[in-house]
Amino acid sequence: MPLIKLDNVSVAFGLKPVLDRANLQIDEQERVGLIGRNGEGKSTLLKIIAEEVLPDSGQVWHQAGITVSTLEQSPELPEASTIFEAVADSLGEAGHLLAQYHDALLLPDVDLDVLGTLQHQLEDLDGWSLQQRVESVLSRLNLPTDKKINELSGGWKRRVGLARALVVEPDVLLLDEPTNHLDMETIVWLEKQLETFKGAVVCITHDRVFLQNIAKRTIEIDRGKLTSWSCSYHQYLERKAAALASEAKTNAEFDKKLAQEEVWIRQGIKARRTRNEGRVRALEKLRSERAQRRGLVGSAKLEVERGERSGKLVIEAENISVTYEGRRMVHDFSCRLMRGDRVGLVGPNGIGKSTLVKVLLEEIESDTGSVKHGTKLKVAYFDQHRDVLDLEKTVIDLVSDGTDSVTINGRGRHIISYLGDFLFAPERARSPAKVLSGGERNRILLAKLFSQSTNFIVMDEPTNDLDIETLELLEELLVEYDGTLILISHDRQFLENVVTSFWFFEGDGVITEYVGGLPDWSQVLKDKASGEQAKNKAVTGQPIKAQQKKSKLSFKFKKELEQLPLEIELLEESLAALQEMASSAEFHSAEHEAIRRKMDGMKKLNEQLENKYQRWDELESMTE
C-alpha cells in the first residue's frame, strides 16, 4: 500500500530543472536508496517528500496519519539543551515531560511534588516506554545523556540528529547521508536497526556497502529525471551501464539523422523550391529535441602532483604512548612504515586515530617513545575538519593562492582549467567557499592537496560528502599512487579497495594490525565484543548473561523483559532522590500533611520497584 506519491513534480533553481515531471511512489516497509551526482537534487527531493519544500508544479500525496522523520545533512538542534532533552523533545508532549522529569532529578534540591505530578502525567501518556526508547537510542549511539549540544563537535551533533530521527519510529524515515561522521561500529549497528525498522526508509548515501546492505530499490536522479531500479545497488550498476550504452547508441543515431537533414535543407535553390514541408517540420522538431537534450554531467578528472621519491624508510615509531584528558589514546605502539605502504586506520570516533597520525607526523609529541622520519619526505595532509579553508576566499584563491596557474607533474595548467577537472564551472570557481556545499568544499581540499608535490599522502575522512562517482575516481587515483598512504575512513569498500593493511584501534590505547583485507567487518566487531565479554567474565568470576538461542518467551514478553532494566533504573533514581530528601532536617520541619504525602509517595515507589523486580525474576525464569 502506498504511503507517499509524487505525480509530475517539477522544481527548478535556475535555468535547468532539478526535477522535471518526476513520479515516485513509496510503499510500506520499502528500502529505497537515492543516488545521483552532487547538486542533482537528492536533498531537494527528500524535502519535497517531507513537505518542507513545495514543488513548482505537480502533486505530493501522503497517506492520512503517517509520520515522516528526516535526518538532514546539517541538523538544527537546540544548542542550550542536553542531548537527552534534544532527543526526547522530538517525541512531542510526552517527550517534553520526560525532559522535565530528567532535569528535575538532576537538581540539587528535588521537589517531590513536581516529581509526583510528572510521574502521573507520564503514566497517562505511556511515558515510561518512551523513556526506554530514548535511553536505548542514546545508548546504542554512544551519546552522553547530560552533555550540552553546544559542547558537541559536528560529528556528535549528527549523531544527535540521527537519534532524534530514530526515536520517533516514523512510518517513513528519510536519511540524508546518515553515515557521514559515524564510526564503522555505529554504521554496522545502524544497518541492523534499519533491518528491523518497521517503516519505509529513503536514504541518500555515498557508502556503497551501506547502500548495498540496506536498499532493495535504487532511485537515480539524472538530469532532472527519476529512474527506478527494482534491484540492489550492485545489480543497478550492471543495468545502468547497459542503459548508458543504449542511450549513447540512440543519441548517435539521432545525431546522424539530424546531420543528414541539415545537409538536405541547405541544398540549392531547386531543392528548396521542391522540398517537402512535412520534412522541414520534422527537421525543426529534431532541432528542438537536440537543444533540449541534457548531456551527462562530466566526471571529475583527478591527477596528483608526484614529488621526488622518498627514502625506503618513511616513518619508524618505537613504544609511543599518548594520553589525553586522562584517557589512554595510544599505548606502547611501534611500527615501521616503508615506501609504498598503504595503511588504513579504523576504529570508533574519538578513540585516537587522528592523534596517532599527528604523533607520526610530529605535529604533537608523544608522552613516551620516539618517532623517526626517513629522508626526502614530502607530506600532503587532508584534514577532515576542513580547518585549512578560509570560507571568505574564492575557490581559485584557496587552491592556487591567487596565481593564475598550477603545475601538475611538470605541466603548467590554468587554474580555471584545473578546477574544471574537479567539476567547478568558471563562475563557481570564482565564488567564495562559504556558499558551496559540503561536497564542493571537499573537492576544494582535494584540488589543493593534489596540486602539491608529494610522496606521502595522509587523508582523514576524505569521503564525506563526495558523490559515488567522484569517490570511485578518487579510489582509482589512490590505487595508482606510487607513494606512501595513510587513510582514516569509515567507508568499508573504500578502505578495502585502496589499502593493503589495517591498524585497528580496540580501545584503551591498544592497536592491532591486520594484513590484507577485512572480508567481514561485522564479524571483527562481534569477535571484539566476545573478547571483551570473556575478559569481564575472567575478572569477575561471574557468568555472562547472554541471550538464549531457544527462548520460550513470546514477542510481547521479550519486549517487556528488555524494558524492565531501564524502568527499574528510573524507579531507583526517583526513590534515591526521595530518600535523600527525607534524611534532611528541612524535610521533617515541614507541615505534617506535606510529609505524609511524600512518605506515601516513597512507599508507592518502593512497591512499584518490588513488583518490577518480581516480574523480572518471573520472565528470566521462563527463559531458562
Side-chain angles (χ1 to χ4, degrees):
M1 184 176 180
L3 297 175
I4 296 174
K5 282 185 178 180
L6 274 64
D7 186 20
N8 288 324
V9 167
S10 295
V11 177
F13 301 113
L15 297 177
K16 294 180 180 179
V18 176
L19 296 175
D20 185 10
R21 297 187 297 277
N23 296 293
L24 177 64
Q25 177 173 312
I26 301 171
D27 294 327
E28 292 180 346
Q29 298 183 337
E30 266 210 296
R31 299 291 184 269
V32 179
L34 186 58
I35 62 174
R37 297 297 299 270
N38 290 338
E40 283 289 312
K42 301 186 295 297
S43 296
T44 300
L45 177 58
L46 286 195
K47 291 179 180 178
I48 289 173
I49 293 173
E51 297 186 311
E52 296 175 4
V53 170
L54 294 177
D56 298 334
S57 62
Q59 294 182 338
V60 180
W61 175 86
H62 281 206
Q63 185 186 123
I66 68 167
T67 302
V68 179
S69 181
T70 305
L71 170 65
E72 300 176 341
Q73 287 194 37
S74 300
E76 295 184 3
L77 302 172
E79 294 289 328
S81 299
T82 64
I83 291 176
F84 184 95
E85 292 168 349
V87 175
D89 185 65
S90 61
L91 292 171
E93 182 183 356
H96 299 324
L97 292 174
L98 278 174
Q100 292 175 34
Y101 188 87
H102 185 79
D103 288 343
L105 286 175
L106 296 177
L107 293 175
D109 297 322
V110 179
D111 190 324
L112 298 179
D113 291 333
V114 172
L115 279 180
T117 301
L118 290 172
Q119 284 175 353
H120 290 305
Q121 292 174 322
L122 286 168
E123 287 172 0
D124 293 339
L125 295 172
D126 193 26
W128 303 128
S129 64
L130 296 180
Q131 167 83 9
Q132 189 272 340
R133 197 194 300 175
V134 173
E135 294 285 359
S136 175
V137 171
L138 292 179
S139 174
R140 292 173 188 269
L141 283 175
N142 196 25
L143 288 167
T145 303
D146 299 319
K147 195 160 188 177
K148 294 284 188 180
I149 298 296
N150 55 20
E151 298 174 4
L152 302 177
S153 65
W156 284 101
K157 287 181 179 179
R158 188 161 187 77
R159 284 194 179 209
V160 176
L162 179 58
R164 284 167 58 92
L166 290 174
V167 79
V168 177
E169 295 185 353
D171 301 290
V172 180
L173 178 61
L174 308 177
L175 302 175
D176 195 347
E177 297 289 2
T179 63
N180 271 6
H181 308 292
L182 294 185
D183 57 56
M184 211 171 292
E185 191 168 358
T186 307
I187 293 172
V188 172
W189 168 83
L190 178 59
E191 289 177 357
K192 298 296 183 184
Q193 295 301 304
L194 294 180
E195 285 176 7
T196 58
F197 179 65
K198 295 180 180 179
V201 177
V202 181
C203 178
I204 300 171
T205 182
H206 67 262
D207 188 322
R208 291 156 293 176
V209 175
F210 184 82
L211 188 60
Q212 173 65 21
N213 291 342
I214 294 302
K216 307 304 178 188
R217 179 159 69 110
T218 303
I219 302 292
E220 180 189 30
I221 303 183
D222 183 16
R223 291 162 284 173
K225 301 294 184 182
L226 289 189
T227 306
S228 177
W229 308 77
S230 298
C231 59
S232 67
Y233 175 67
H234 288 167
Q235 292 171 322
Y236 152 79
L237 292 176
E238 298 173 358
R239 298 182 186 181
K240 176 64 176 178
L244 287 176
S246 176
E247 180 183 354
K249 181 180 179 181
T250 301
N251 287 342
E253 293 173 351
F254 180 97
D255 292 343
K256 181 179 179 181
K257 181 178 181 181
L258 176 61
Q260 291 172 344
E261 294 301 294
E262 292 288 0
V263 170
W264 170 78
I265 198 66
R266 287 174 175 77
Q267 287 178 351
I269 299 296
K270 180 179 178 181
R272 283 199 292 273
R273 275 201 306 267
T274 60
R275 66 190 177 192
N276 184 305
E277 291 302 323
R279 190 172 178 181
V280 173
R281 289 192 294 272
L283 173 58
E284 291 174 350
K285 184 179 179 181
L286 289 176
R287 287 171 173 172
S288 176
E289 289 179 14
R290 181 63 185 86
Q292 293 176 9
R293 185 200 300 169
R294 292 177 65 179
L296 283 168
V297 179
S299 297
K301 302 173 184 177
L302 308 185
E303 182 181 8
V304 64
E305 165 71 2
R306 289 174 170 81
E308 181 184 7
R309 278 164 61 94
S310 68
K312 189 173 182 180
L313 175 67
V314 176
I315 293 177
E316 185 173 24
E318 292 185 359
N319 307 115
I320 59 175
S321 296
V322 182
T323 57
Y324 179 72
E325 294 184 349
R327 291 180 56 206
R328 194 155 63 177
M329 311 298 284
V330 180
H331 177 62
D332 197 27
F333 177 71
S334 300
C335 69
R336 178 175 290 180
L337 204 60
M338 308 301 290
R339 184 178 63 221
D341 282 351
R342 320 168 71 78
V343 182
L345 276 60
V346 292
N349 288 329
I351 203 169
K353 301 185 296 294
S354 298
T355 300
L356 175 60
V357 165
K358 290 177 180 179
V359 170
L360 294 179
L361 295 180
E362 296 184 325
E363 293 185 3
I364 61 175
E365 292 185 1
S366 60
D367 300 333
T368 62
S370 62
V371 176
K372 175 185 175 183
H373 281 194
T375 59
K376 303 179 183 178
L377 209 57
K378 295 183 178 179
V379 182
Y381 186 27
F382 183 99
D383 180 15
Q384 64 163 321
H385 302 295
R386 307 188 183 103
D387 292 337
V388 297
L389 290 184
D390 182 346
L391 299 183
E392 298 299 324
K393 290 186 176 181
T394 66
V395 178
I396 292 174
D397 290 338
L398 286 169
V399 175
S400 68
D401 295 324
T403 62
D404 291 334
S405 63
V406 293
T407 302
I408 306 296
N409 293 325
R411 303 193 312 273
R413 296 281 306 279
H414 193 277
I415 185 61
I416 294 294
S417 172
Y418 177 68
L419 289 174
D421 290 348
F422 292 82
L423 303 181
F424 288 105
E427 64 275 11
R428 206 64 173 165
R430 297 183 178 93
S431 302
K434 64 183 179 182
V435 304
L436 304 181
S437 68
E440 289 174 314
R441 292 180 189 180
N442 244 14
R443 294 206 301 269
I444 293 175
L445 285 177
L446 292 174
K448 187 174 181 66
L449 177 79
F450 294 157
S451 66
Q452 301 173 22
S453 177
T454 176
N455 51 37
F456 182 18
I457 293 179
V458 180
M459 308 191 84
D460 194 347
E461 292 292 354
T463 65
N464 287 341
D465 302 315
L466 292 183
D467 58 59
I468 291 176
E469 290 187 18
T470 305
L471 180 57
E472 290 174 343
L473 287 166
L474 177 59
E475 278 181 2
E476 292 179 13
L477 175 72
L478 294 178
V479 167
E480 295 173 359
Y481 180 61
D482 56 7
T484 308
L485 175 68
I486 289 181
L487 177 63
I488 301 175
S489 179
H490 301 304
D491 189 315
R492 289 157 288 181
Q493 187 167 343
F494 185 73
L495 284 167
E496 290 283 354
N497 292 347
V498 172
V499 305
T500 56
S501 64
F502 296 85
W503 293 345
F504 178 52
F505 288 66
E506 298 186 13
D508 197 30
V510 178
I511 304 171
T512 304
E513 183 175 8
Y514 290 82
V515 178
L518 292 176
D520 188 351
W521 182 251
S522 60
Q523 186 61 44
V524 172
L525 296 175
K526 188 183 297 183
D527 293 343
K528 175 177 175 285
S530 299
E532 289 175 351
Q533 286 187 337
K535 180 180 178 181
N536 292 336
K537 180 178 179 180
V539 171
T540 63
Q542 299 294 324
I544 301 167
K545 289 185 178 180
Q547 193 174 27
Q548 300 294 328
K549 293 184 179 179
K550 295 181 180 179
S551 173
K552 297 180 181 179
L553 292 181
S554 66
F555 176 78
K556 177 182 177 181
F557 288 157
K558 285 181 181 178
K559 293 293 291 182
E560 184 182 356
L561 181 58
E562 290 173 1
Q563 293 177 1
L564 276 172
L566 285 172
E567 293 175 1
I568 289 172
E569 182 181 354
L570 183 62
L571 289 170
E572 287 176 339
E573 289 177 356
S574 301
L575 186 59
L578 290 172
Q579 289 172 341
E580 183 177 353
M581 177 169 285
S583 65
S584 65
E586 292 82 0
F587 176 83
H588 294 284
S589 64
E591 295 181 0
H592 176 74
E593 185 60 25
I595 294 174
R596 187 189 63 79
R597 287 199 309 269
K598 292 173 181 178
M599 293 301 291
D600 288 344
M602 289 175 60
K603 182 179 178 181
K604 183 179 179 181
L605 276 177
N606 198 55
E607 289 173 354
Q608 291 177 353
L609 190 57
E610 291 295 331
N611 291 335
K612 295 292 184 184
Y613 277 128
Q614 184 177 351
R615 183 57 175 163
W616 193 6
D617 288 339
E618 291 173 359
L619 294 176
E620 286 277 42
S621 64
M622 292 170 63
T623 65
E624 295 175 356

